[in-house]
Amino acid sequence: MSQYFHGARNFSIDTGTFNTVTTNQYQSPKGGFERLQEHVAHGAFHDSGERFDPPKCHDNTRVAIIKRIMDWISGLDEDTREALVMWLYGAAGAGKSAIAQTIAEILQGQHFFLASFFFSRNDPQRGVAKWLVTTLAYQLTAKLPQVFRERVALTFEQDPLIVTRSLEAQFTALIREPLLELLHSGFSAINHIVIIIDGLDECDDTRVQARIIDLSFSLLDSGELPLKILIASRPEIDISSSFDAKPFSTLARIALDNDYQSEEDIRHFLADKFNEIKTQHRLRSYIPIDWPAKVSLDTLVQKSSGQFIYASTVVKYVASARHRPTHRLEVVLGIQLAKAGDSPFAELDALYHHILMGVEDVDLILQIIGFVILHPPGFSNSVTFIEAFFSLAPGDVQLLMQDIASLISVETYIGHPYGVEEFTVRILHASLKDYLLDQSRSNFFFVDRLKMHTHYAELCVAHMTELPSLEPNLSLHPLMEYFRYLDSLSALGVLFFANTFITLYKIGLSQASNQPTPPVFTPVLHVLLCTIYQQVNSHTLSAQLDSAGLVIIIGLE
């Protein structure tokens, strides 16, 4: 037998047999801290290199929101001083992640003990909760005194499979108990330990989303820990339901709505970014000094609907160093056509696509959204009206819309003639209409105007056949101006538009059981039907709704 030694390897050759033994066999076992590092989602940190140039608040924007959150963390806000968890929520693209990122950077600059986890859908580590607790624990071990790190490491040494345990067990063993031991050692940092969980709605399992909220509260329920948790997400149904079940005193909420001057912030952001383009773009000498025009800026602010994602998407597209900014802005505004393969709103379209893919009855939802965006201007998007029109049960619209709460809001509105509290449907993104009506952008979520109007017209006829006979009354009425508007519509549009008062007539009869039926309905309805008759004679309807058949249905001769 011959033996040869070379470097770290031991080679034994014996009658043709070759055995290799590496020195790895003799390495010492991994310590607890090393084991912890193997289960960390590095890209979820607020300052991770994987999140290069993360979204954050533009200078001098979101000032009021940032102040309120920082006052809560520091215990300076009397209204939220007792709250242990804060929920920051808003529509898709409202800027939640930018605010969370900005808060994280402020806290780091002020030497708070910070741990963060920024969820991101479709990321193998950031799109699941498997890595959440270990990632938070690791960040705290790097910042808190040695006692905390030693306790976490000991847990891994005693139970190397702790990462296979439930989230509840991990929270207890890797965060709660080490923090309690740290406090018992004499550590004192009241209100100086903060956990930020951003994009909770992007966690892949809705049940786990709710569990994380429950765990956050159970982690703090004793009031012993000097810890506060900021959670940012869309108001999805599972998340909202979980927060709604929590004690009011321990939860602070911030809704990203118009109360925080989002439109003014977006205008400021756009103005600053366009100024940067005019001074820094390689073709800046070809950009007029008064570009963009005020009307263009106003249009962009209106299209943003208070959501920063639209504004930031526009800026990224227009600022491209390989294209003329003036031309690209005209593409965004619809003045110029985009080149083949050029998608100004790719990021926004991907967001809309993802949200709509997650709903169950997408066809019915698109019919309702189409109803809202295609009906005549000035008409209230009454939930009662919509449910009557589509023959839905009371409450169906709210149930349907709960899966797209980050795009569509069902809000309380008191505007009924009798002062009745009503719900209305509000589209949170003005640009959603552009997306749905453009087949090249929305693909199978496309809302075809002709098909939708045909469907609505058929529903109109179905409602008409249920109406009782009405006595003719062609006297002038204050709403005649309403009918003059009908002259500019197609026959399909007339039928759809006519449906508003026809259905309201039915709703008025059913809701006014102890009130007199509003006298406006009978004369208005008759004038309306006469107007339809005149329009049908001058337009060509779809094959299913020829003029003769319609006249027979509505009983006009």
Side-chain angles (χ1 to χ4, degrees):
M1 180 178 70
S2 301
Q3 292 184 334
Y4 300 89
F5 295 90
H6 180 70
R9 294 177 181 265
N10 182 344
F11 297 90
S12 294
I13 302 178
D14 185 10
T15 63
T17 302
F18 182 73
N19 298 316
T20 301
V21 181
T22 68
T23 56
N24 288 339
Q25 294 176 347
Y26 307 106
Q27 289 181 349
S28 59
K30 293 180 180 179
F33 188 66
E34 287 73 19
R35 290 180 183 275
L36 170 64
Q37 293 179 72
E38 294 175 348
H39 301 280
V40 174
H42 311 95
F45 301 172
H46 84 275
D47 56 355
S48 169
E50 294 181 23
R51 296 182 63 244
F52 173 73
D53 193 24
K56 56 185 176 182
C57 299
H58 187 66
D59 291 343
N60 298 317
T61 64
R62 301 301 202 187
V63 175
I65 293 176
I66 292 171
K67 182 180 185 304
R68 184 177 173 191
I69 295 174
M70 289 303 300
D71 285 349
W72 164 70
I73 292 172
S74 302
L76 300 178
D77 186 346
E78 292 184 4
D79 295 334
T80 61
R81 185 170 294 164
E82 302 302 319
L84 304 175
V85 177
M86 174 173 279
W87 181 32
L88 174 68
Y89 63 98
K96 301 175 294 295
S97 293
I99 294 171
Q101 177 71 27
T102 301
I103 293 294
E105 293 181 7
I106 292 173
L107 293 176
Q108 181 167 286
Q110 295 183 3
H111 306 294
F112 279 72
F113 299 105
L114 170 68
S116 60
F117 195 101
F118 283 71
F119 278 99
S120 178
R121 75 175 77 95
N122 301 325
D123 186 294
Q125 292 186 330
R126 297 170 57 201
V128 295
K130 174 183 176 181
W131 307 81
L132 172 64
V133 180
T134 47
T135 300
L136 295 174
Y138 171 81
Q139 292 173 80
L140 292 176
T141 62
K143 297 172 183 177
L144 289 170
Q146 187 71 14
V147 173
F148 184 90
R149 175 171 174 166
E150 291 173 352
R151 183 66 180 82
V152 173
L154 180 61
T155 299
F156 265 89
E157 291 168 3
Q158 294 177 337
D159 184 6
L161 296 181
I162 183 64
V163 293
T164 67
R165 304 287 190 264
S166 67
L167 287 175
E168 291 88 343
Q170 291 184 51
F171 260 107
T172 298
L174 299 177
I175 294 181
R176 180 179 174 80
E177 291 180 353
L179 281 177
L180 287 174
E181 187 164 324
L182 177 62
L183 291 176
H184 294 155
S185 71
F187 174 76
S188 178
I190 303 299
N191 294 329
H192 273 67
I193 304 178
V194 181
I195 288 176
I196 296 177
I197 300 175
D198 175 70
L200 181 59
D201 53 277
E202 300 204 12
C203 177
D204 69 336
D205 191 327
T206 56
R207 295 170 300 175
V208 174
Q209 296 170 9
R211 282 178 60 201
I212 290 171
I213 296 169
D214 294 340
L215 289 172
S216 298
F217 281 88
S218 63
L219 180 68
L220 303 173
D221 61 0
S222 66
E224 299 176 89
L225 301 179
L227 172 66
K228 291 187 175 181
I229 301 177
L230 172 65
I231 299 176
S233 77
R234 299 175 195 157
E236 308 296 11
I237 183 62
D238 295 280
I239 294 175
S240 297
S241 298
S242 185
F243 275 118
D244 289 343
K246 300 299 178 288
F248 179 80
S249 60
T250 60
L251 172 65
R253 300 172 182 246
I254 295 184
L256 293 181
D257 53 26
N258 291 331
D259 290 344
Y260 287 97
Q261 300 180 321
S262 54
E263 283 199 359
E264 288 78 1
D265 284 346
I266 288 174
R267 185 181 297 277
H268 177 73
F269 166 78
L270 287 170
D272 280 0
K273 289 299 182 181
F274 283 132
N275 283 333
E276 285 182 16
I277 294 172
K278 287 193 291 187
T279 57
Q280 299 176 17
H281 196 276
R282 60 190 301 180
L283 297 178
R284 56 187 176 275
S285 59
Y286 300 97
I287 301 176
I289 193 171
D290 58 350
W291 178 87
K294 182 180 181 301
V295 64
S296 299
L297 195 61
D298 290 343
T299 299
L300 296 178
V301 172
Q302 183 271 328
K303 288 283 188 182
S304 294
S305 302
Q307 320 306 337
F308 267 84
I309 189 171
Y310 180 89
S312 62
T313 299
V314 167
V315 166
K316 290 177 184 177
Y317 179 77
V318 173
S320 171
R322 298 177 179 272
H323 302 85
R324 292 181 180 273
T326 50
H327 178 268
R328 285 211 143 190
L329 179 58
E330 289 180 345
V331 170
V332 168
L333 296 172
I335 300 172
Q336 297 280 351
L337 294 176
K339 296 180 180 178
D342 187 15
S343 180
F345 302 106
E347 182 179 352
L348 194 61
D349 293 351
L351 175 65
Y352 291 154
H353 176 85
H354 169 76
I355 294 173
L356 291 172
M357 282 291 291
V359 302
E360 293 183 6
D361 197 343
V362 69
D363 289 336
L364 180 55
I365 285 177
L366 289 177
Q367 289 177 34
I368 294 173
I369 295 176
F371 181 91
V372 173
I373 64 179
L374 293 176
H375 74 54
F379 180 70
S380 172
N381 302 320
S382 161
V383 168
T384 304
F385 177 86
I386 292 171
E387 288 172 343
F389 183 61
F390 288 97
S391 300
L392 301 173
D396 278 356
V397 167
Q398 287 169 286
L399 289 174
L400 285 165
M401 296 301 167
Q402 66 186 10
D403 288 330
I404 54 172
S406 56
L407 298 180
I408 306 290
S409 174
V410 178
E411 304 174 345
T412 303
Y413 170 74
I414 300 178
H416 191 278
Y418 302 125
V420 178
E421 184 179 74
E422 176 65 282
F423 290 101
T424 61
V425 175
R426 183 168 75 91
I427 296 178
L428 300 176
H429 289 241
S431 59
L432 179 63
K433 175 180 178 180
D434 299 332
Y435 168 79
L436 293 174
L437 296 179
D438 186 340
Q439 190 170 16
S440 67
R441 294 176 59 186
S442 52
N443 297 313
F444 46 85
F445 296 126
F446 172 54
V447 172
D448 187 309
R449 290 175 184 266
L450 179 59
K451 289 182 179 179
M452 285 294 182
H453 275 304
T454 300
H455 177 58
Y456 301 149
E458 291 168 347
L459 291 178
C460 288
V461 172
H463 284 301
M464 290 178 196
T465 60
E466 301 171 4
L467 293 174
S469 300
L470 299 171
E471 294 182 3
N473 186 341
L474 298 179
S475 60
L476 290 177
H477 190 276
L479 291 173
M480 282 302 296
E481 186 64 31
Y482 170 88
F483 298 111
R484 294 191 186 100
Y485 178 77
L486 295 177
D487 293 337
S488 64
L489 298 178
S490 66
L492 287 175
V494 170
L495 285 176
F496 172 45
F497 200 20
N499 158 72
T500 58
F501 276 102
I502 294 172
T503 308
L504 277 176
Y505 178 85
K506 296 176 66 178
I507 294 172
L509 291 176
S510 64
Q511 289 188 347
S513 56
N514 55 1
Q515 297 278 353
T517 301
V520 64
F521 285 121
T522 299
V524 165
L525 185 59
H526 186 85
V527 175
L528 187 60
L529 295 179
C530 290
T531 306
I532 293 173
Y533 177 71
Q534 294 169 0
Q535 288 287 337
V536 167
N537 281 329
S538 60
H539 293 275
T540 301
L541 279 172
S542 67
Q544 300 126 322
L545 295 171
D546 63 342
S547 60
L550 182 62
V551 171
I552 293 172
I553 288 173
I554 64 177
L556 292 177
E557 296 180 356

